[in-house]
Amino acid sequence: MKRQAVILAAGEGTRMKSDLPKVLHRAAGIPMLNHVTNHATQIGVEDLFVIVGHGAEAVSRSLPDNAKTVLQAEQKGTGHAVMCAMDQLDPEALILVLSGDAPLISAQTLEQLIQTHEQGNYSATVLSANLEDPTGYGRVLRNESTCDLMGIIEEKDATPWQKSIKEINSGTYCFKGSALLDILPKLSQDNAQQEYYLTDTLALLKKEDKTVGVCCIDNSDEIMAVNTRVQLAQVEAIFRKRINHRHMMNGVTMIHPENTYIDHNVVIGKDTVIEAGAIIECGTIIGENCHIGHNTRISDSFIESGVTITSSTVISSRVGERTTVGPYAYLRPGSCIGKRVRIGDFVEVKNSTIGDDSTSAHLAYIGDAKIGKNVNVGCGVVFVNYDGKKKHQTIVKDNVFVGSNSNLVAPVTVGENAFVAAGSTITEDVPAEALAIARSRQTNKEEWTGKADDKAVKS
Ligand code: UD1
Ligand code: CA
């Protein structure tokens, strides 16, 4: 049967106290809403409707191409939100309703909900869970003798007895298209919040002698919705735990998983070791047998196998096989480092290519450079790439030795096998095989100390 999904994401999220629409707050590196759209896509939903309202433009921009937005100009409740999409809903389809603020729900659980729904041939099925602390959620009301679902009562409308019920509504449902389309126009705003509650559809369907099912799941983590920043941090922690668990099961060693932060959609090869305090962000691929040392941050980068990175930051860059980076190195966007390269402490690289077997062991700035193979960049070398207005490129060909504390003032080219003497400021191209010395000559004044004027100079 064709699957459609409606994802509710129009609410303001008042309790977040934020300028950012609630569903755009990130969990494991991506907006909460995108976790939900991913799961819907994973289970083969054909039409994905996202109800937008607060911050509609920003929310729409964050959505994948397969999602269509439906504007709910005024937020009159979850039932009203689904009404806004009625024109687009197919009476023949199975319709999932999901909440943009509940990102932990897995594709597997959604399949379980659909299975319960289809096996029971229900008009509607709600996903529920039992919570130690059900505060804030709608409670599931069941018939005392048959245990059948009677309806859902919102906390704000509940009696003290109803509030003591621990089974809660996750805000995730499955409907027969025809039943949903038939019942939505019958919702009223007769409740504490004067909203159209989607939850009321269940009792209304019962009243019309339609059957309604409940799929109660054991893993209550999955249904957690975010209404406050405290809950956002809890959701984040659950994601981290899940993600780390998956990597460890795939052969990655984590010295201290509780203190290792890996975003959604990161790939890590087996036998890679990750130390405490590592932050590995979206879009990163790490090969096998790497060693990611403590307090390293890697974002949107490709790290080949056998690489060691210690206490360093790598952003939108590529690092070749068996290269070592750090401690305290900074690879800024557009850095492409070859194989067996050594990038040592306090070396900053930006928008540069460095060939295989080259070395920059300490204290250098390499910006807008093209460096060949087997090049040595000495300590304190600066690639002077900026003239105050524009950036310029420096080219250093294979086997060049750049002595310590040299400045290469771009645009400039140093030819193959050339040697730049320490302390040189290079402003003109250096031919291949040449030795370039660009510094003032040393003069030694013999027997200078002990003379009368020595004291004056020293003081
Ligand atoms: C809702 C359910 C509650 C359930 C809980 C689970 C109702 C009436 N209540 O309550 O039973 O336990 O979710 O988390 O449905 N939204 C819109 N348009 C609106 C109102 C809300 O798009 O007019 C969106 C919000 O952006 C949010 C979702 O719907 O993503 C849920 O809304 P929220 O206000 O958080 O509902 P709860 O009060 O938490
Ligand atoms: Ca909510």
Side-chain angles (χ1 to χ4, degrees):
M1 193 188 276
K2 179 181 181 180
R3 293 177 177 182
Q4 295 188 310
V6 180
I7 302 178
L8 309 188
E12 183 180 9
T14 329
R15 289 163 281 179
M16 294 296 279
K17 302 198 173 137
S18 174
D19 291 335
L20 190 69
K22 176 166 79 174
V23 294
L24 291 188
H25 282 262
R26 286 168 188 268
I30 63 170
M32 288 196 278
L33 177 59
N34 294 59
H35 286 284
V36 183
T37 56
N38 284 347
H39 296 144
T41 306
Q42 260 174 39
I43 61 159
V45 164
E46 280 174 54
D47 300 321
L48 199 59
F49 303 108
V50 179
I51 312 296
V52 296
H54 271 279
E57 231 175 84
V59 175
S60 305
R61 253 183 278 125
S62 90
L63 288 171
D65 292 342
N66 64 335
K68 301 181 191 95
T69 54
V70 175
L71 184 69
Q72 184 193 22
E74 219 185 316
Q75 284 72 51
K76 298 187 203 161
T78 48
H80 178 252
V82 181
M83 283 181 209
C84 294
M86 269 173 81
D87 292 355
Q88 323 222 33
L89 298 180
D90 180 349
E92 300 299 318
L94 177 147
I95 297 172
L96 273 169
V97 178
L98 307 168
S99 200
D101 64 356
L104 284 163
I105 198 135
S106 67
Q108 210 181 345
T109 297
L110 292 177
E111 286 292 4
Q112 197 184 327
L113 170 68
I114 293 170
Q115 205 183 0
T116 306
H117 179 76
E118 286 180 338
Q119 278 174 358
N121 194 26
Y122 298 119
S123 290
T125 309
V126 58
L127 187 72
S128 77
N130 285 293
L131 294 191
E132 254 327 293
D133 178 12
T135 314
Y137 290 94
R139 311 295 205 279
V140 173
L141 304 177
R142 290 181 185 258
N143 180 303
E144 274 179 45
S145 46
T146 63
C147 254
D148 284 350
L149 179 127
M150 305 303 295
I152 288 165
I153 184 88
E154 289 307 295
E155 181 159 279
K156 287 187 179 138
D157 301 290
T159 64
W161 178 82
Q162 289 168 330
K163 280 187 191 160
S164 72
I165 297 171
K166 298 216 185 285
E167 189 181 5
I168 61 97
N169 165 28
S170 68
T172 302
Y173 321 78
C174 196
F175 290 91
K176 273 187 187 162
S178 52
L180 179 64
L181 289 167
D182 179 52
I183 214 72
L184 277 174
K186 298 179 183 160
L187 288 177
S188 80
Q189 292 167 285
D190 186 14
N191 52 54
Q193 303 182 79
Q194 299 196 327
E195 287 182 353
Y196 295 99
Y197 287 168
L198 183 62
T199 44
D200 287 346
T201 55
L202 304 179
L204 287 173
L205 284 167
K206 290 281 291 195
K207 235 189 235 171
E208 301 200 347
D209 287 330
K210 304 262 170 57
T211 55
V212 174
V214 187
C215 175
C216 185
I217 53 163
D218 297 331
N219 182 359
S220 56
D221 277 358
E222 283 204 22
I223 53 91
M224 218 179 136
V226 172
N227 294 315
T228 66
R229 307 236 188 190
V230 173
Q231 288 167 328
L232 179 65
Q234 288 164 346
V235 161
E236 178 83 24
I238 296 168
F239 265 122
R240 299 290 178 205
K241 214 170 162 180
R242 262 194 208 171
I243 291 169
N244 290 354
H245 184 265
R246 177 168 58 82
H247 287 298
M248 288 188 281
M249 293 309 281
N250 285 342
V252 175
T253 295
M254 288 186 192
I255 304 300
H256 192 222
E258 292 73 22
N259 191 13
T260 301
Y261 308 87
I262 302 179
D263 278 352
H264 173 74
N265 254 349
V266 165
V267 177
I268 309 176
K270 71 172 160 46
D271 290 321
T272 283
V273 176
I274 301 184
E275 291 184 352
I279 300 175
I280 303 173
E281 297 177 350
C282 284
T284 297
I285 298 174
I286 298 178
E288 298 181 358
N289 284 303
C290 290
H291 193 102
I292 309 301
H294 63 272
N295 298 333
T296 291
R297 175 177 168 226
I298 305 175
S299 183
D300 176 38
S301 293
F302 182 35
I303 312 297
E304 291 181 10
S305 292
V307 167
T308 296
I309 303 179
T310 312
S311 300
S312 294
T313 299
V314 179
I315 299 172
S316 302
S317 291
R318 184 185 177 119
V319 180
E321 264 175 45
R322 289 195 278 146
T323 283
T324 66
V325 177
Y328 316 116
Y330 184 16
L331 303 187
R332 291 168 54 197
S335 300
C336 184
I337 316 294
K339 300 182 200 303
R340 300 171 303 276
V341 170
R342 185 170 162 218
I343 302 291
D345 49 272
F346 305 105
V347 173
E348 175 179 340
V349 183
K350 185 215 85 174
N351 186 35
S352 295
T353 308
I354 300 182
D356 297 347
D357 302 298
S358 290
T359 299
S360 177
H362 18 235
L363 295 154
Y365 173 63
I366 301 173
D368 300 309
K370 221 175 130 194
I371 297 178
K373 293 180 183 163
N374 198 33
V375 168
N376 181 80
V377 175
C379 177
V381 170
V382 174
F383 282 63
V384 184
N385 59 334
Y386 186 49
D387 62 11
K389 287 199 178 99
K390 278 192 192 152
K391 303 273 164 66
H392 301 278
Q393 193 184 43
T394 299
I395 297 171
V396 177
K397 302 229 167 132
D398 295 351
N399 307 314
V400 165
F401 184 97
V402 183
S404 292
N405 208 29
S406 293
N407 301 308
L408 303 178
V409 182
V412 75
T413 298
V414 183
E416 262 177 40
N417 302 318
F419 194 108
V420 174
S424 294
T425 292
I426 301 297
T427 54
E428 283 164 35
D429 289 355
V430 179
E433 325 287 336
L435 165 67
I437 309 177
R439 62 182 186 227
S440 52
R441 284 202 166 264
Q442 178 173 337
T443 49
N444 290 337
K445 301 196 174 168
E446 300 286 335
E447 294 173 29
W448 184 76
T449 54
K451 285 192 178 160
D453 59 353
D454 174 30
K455 278 186 190 137
V457 173
K458 276 187 175 170
S459 61

